[in-house]
Amino acid sequence: AMEPERMQPLRETADFIIDTTGITPAQLREKLAETLFSEEEAAPHIQTEIMSFGFKRGIIKDADLLIDVRFLPNPFYINSIRQQTGLQSGVRDFVLGAPVTQEFLAKETDLLTFLLPNYEHEGKRRLVIGVGCTGGMHRSVAIAEELGVRLRAKGFACTVSHRDIELEQEHVRRL
């Protein structure tokens, strides 16, 4: 019975009082957003991080979704573009130019544009998507970049990074 008396001076000066008894963290987040922000500011915006990686160096530990693109045509076996990365036009055009890649990108973009608002609705603020190929410098890089372009075009906040690109470039140079 001590706590209510000790809290009384605070209660008298408080602008808002939120009873958190029996509410979930998501409900608290919603209550705080309603209380502190205008409707426009309170609209949740999920931040999507797409990260390419190479399976041979292990998966991305904190990824929410993992996409394996090792089924796509592999630039590693094309001598003229082996040294390039998925950030360069030779590899990018080779990977994105394959009909299987275009079909995959359409399906994956469709899936993500369905998932993101639903994750957002559940109160998720950050979604990490790992895109993996064997080494992490060709297919995964090109696909991560293109998914970023497609998601941003649909109005989603999205960053793209490449975990293994430098390590794999060093490895390929030594071959």
Side-chain angles (χ1 to χ4, degrees), residues 81-102:
I81 57 174
R82 176 179 297 148
Q83 301 286 332
Q84 291 185 21
T85 73
L87 297 173
Q88 294 166 286
S89 60
V91 168
R92 188 178 57 239
D93 295 350
F94 176 81
V95 173
L96 300 184
V100 66
T101 307
Q102 287 303 313

Side-chain angles (χ1 to χ4, degrees), residues 10-18 35-36:
L10 279 177
R11 293 179 77 87
E12 286 165 13
T13 59
D15 292 327
F16 307 104
I17 296 171
I18 298 175
T35 306
L36 299 174

Side-chain angles (χ1 to χ4, degrees), residues 75-124:
F76 180 84
Y77 300 109
I78 313 294
N79 288 330
S80 60
I81 57 174
R82 176 179 297 148
Q83 301 286 332
Q84 291 185 21
T85 73
L87 297 173
Q88 294 166 286
S89 60
V91 168
R92 188 178 57 239
D93 295 350
F94 176 81
V95 173
L96 300 184
V100 66
T101 307
Q102 287 303 313
E103 188 175 348
F104 162 74
L105 282 166
K107 290 175 187 295
E108 191 63 47
T109 303
D110 186 47
L111 177 62
L112 291 172
T113 54
F114 166 76
L115 288 174
L116 289 173
N118 283 290
Y119 282 131
E120 202 169 67
H121 182 73
E122 277 303 302
K124 195 158 182 55

Side-chain angles (χ1 to χ4, degrees), residues 122-138:
E122 277 303 302
K124 195 158 182 55
R125 290 291 179 266
R126 177 173 172 259
L127 186 78
V128 179
I129 302 171
V131 179
C133 63
T134 306
M137 79 177 255
H138 293 130

Side-chain angles (χ1 to χ4, degrees), residues 46-103:
I46 192 166
Q47 177 64 43
T48 304
E49 297 172 33
I50 302 175
M51 184 181 289
S52 72
F53 71 96
F55 275 98
K56 71 183 191 182
R57 291 186 180 87
I59 63 169
I60 293 168
K61 295 289 185 280
D62 68 341
D64 298 293
L65 298 172
L66 282 177
I67 303 170
D68 180 352
V69 297
R70 290 175 292 189
F71 67 93
L72 296 176
N74 194 348
F76 180 84
Y77 300 109
I78 313 294
N79 288 330
S80 60
I81 57 174
R82 176 179 297 148
Q83 301 286 332
Q84 291 185 21
T85 73
L87 297 173
Q88 294 166 286
S89 60
V91 168
R92 188 178 57 239
D93 295 350
F94 176 81
V95 173
L96 300 184
V100 66
T101 307
Q102 287 303 313
E103 188 175 348

